[in-house]
Amino acid sequence: GMTVRRARAELSELLNVFQRYGIRKVDTVGHKFDPNLHQALFEVPTKDHPPGTVVQEMQSGFAIGDRCLRPAMVGVAKAQG
């Protein structure tokens, strides 16, 4: 079966391949929501973050250059009250 160590090694190798081809993980938490890179799953009423800021990542997204391969699934701050 697949051990955790082996899974980590394979993930690490995959990320190396991604990097070699210029594929990067999309920045999420703390960044401004970008409809080209992010898919909003829910909004979070909060005073702690400016509206439109990504506050939670549910699933990683990936991009190559300016092109989105898979949007990141995120939660986005909205004004409270």
Side-chain angles (χ1 to χ4, degrees):
M2 180 72 102
T3 64
V4 170
R5 190 193 299 163
R6 189 168 142 224
R8 282 202 181 116
E10 290 194 9
L11 178 61
S12 173
E13 177 57 28
L14 185 63
L15 292 174
N16 286 339
V17 170
F18 276 14
Q19 210 165 20
R20 222 166 27 241
Y21 287 95
I23 299 170
R24 62 184 169 82
K25 199 171 165 299
V26 170
D27 290 325
T28 55
V29 176
H31 292 265
K32 190 161 175 46
F33 175 77
D34 179 346
N36 298 310
L37 297 173
H38 305 135
Q39 184 172 337
L41 298 182
F42 53 89
E43 290 185 311
V44 181
T46 178
K47 288 184 166 75
D48 299 333
H49 304 277
T53 304
V54 175
V55 292
Q56 198 171 346
E57 178 184 303
M58 306 304 287
Q59 185 181 325
S60 299
F62 296 94
I64 185 164
D66 291 336
R67 198 171 116 237
C68 185
L69 299 175
R70 180 178 88 177
M73 306 289 186
V74 299
V76 182
K78 73 169 187 174
Q80 196 172 23

